[in-house]
Amino acid sequence: MEQWEADDARRRHMARFGRRDTAPELALRRELHRRGRRFFVDRQVSRRCRVRPDLVFPRARIAVFVDGCFWHHCEEHTHLPKANAELWRRKLLANRQRDARN
């Protein structure tokens, strides 16, 4: 995978966005909690894999991922940026391949 270089302004801008607690994640967690379901948030499930599911139900051995359409290149909803379109296409397709492996 190619190395991405960002200027300081872009790095600061992207650093403001967190890995977790997105609006869809919070809505799902509120509804599950309201229904009496208990879970762990952003918990590593294996030492062999760096991926961290958004929700983990350890007793049921279930891991839930709440993936956004843009970063995970949902074919129905995503759109590529016009600036640097080929770079973004490669990046987002690499994300999909990584998701499939995990």
Side-chain angles (χ1 to χ4, degrees):
M1 192 164 157
E2 70 185 81
Q3 185 69 24
W4 283 58
E5 290 295 326
D7 60 8
D8 287 337
R10 174 61 49 193
R11 193 173 290 113
R12 282 193 306 273
H13 175 75
M14 294 304 288
R16 293 188 316 190
F17 301 104
R19 285 178 8 115
R20 55 177 272 189
D21 299 335
T22 63
E25 285 179 44
L26 292 174
L28 177 61
R29 287 175 9 205
R30 273 193 295 272
E31 182 61 22
L32 289 170
H33 198 272
R34 186 186 71 75
R35 292 181 182 203
R37 304 290 187 232
R38 298 303 179 254
F39 47 83
F40 290 96
V41 176
D42 193 35
R43 184 180 195 196
Q44 187 175 6
V45 294
S46 170
R47 294 192 193 283
R48 291 178 290 161
C49 186
R50 289 181 33 190
V51 67
R52 296 172 64 101
D54 297 309
L55 301 175
V56 178
F57 299 86
R59 286 188 182 151
R61 298 180 58 94
I62 295 174
V64 178
F65 295 87
V66 181
D67 293 340
C69 287
F70 177 76
W71 289 108
H72 298 273
H73 201 51
C74 164
E75 291 181 5
E76 186 176 340
H77 299 113
T78 197
H79 63 281
L80 290 175
K82 290 180 181 170
N84 235 346
E86 182 57 28
L87 180 76
W88 278 107
R89 187 187 70 73
R90 288 194 314 266
K91 166 66 177 154
L92 297 175
L93 287 175
N95 285 355
R96 286 185 78 183
Q97 290 170 349
R98 184 200 60 224
D99 290 344
R101 281 193 312 270
N102 292 328

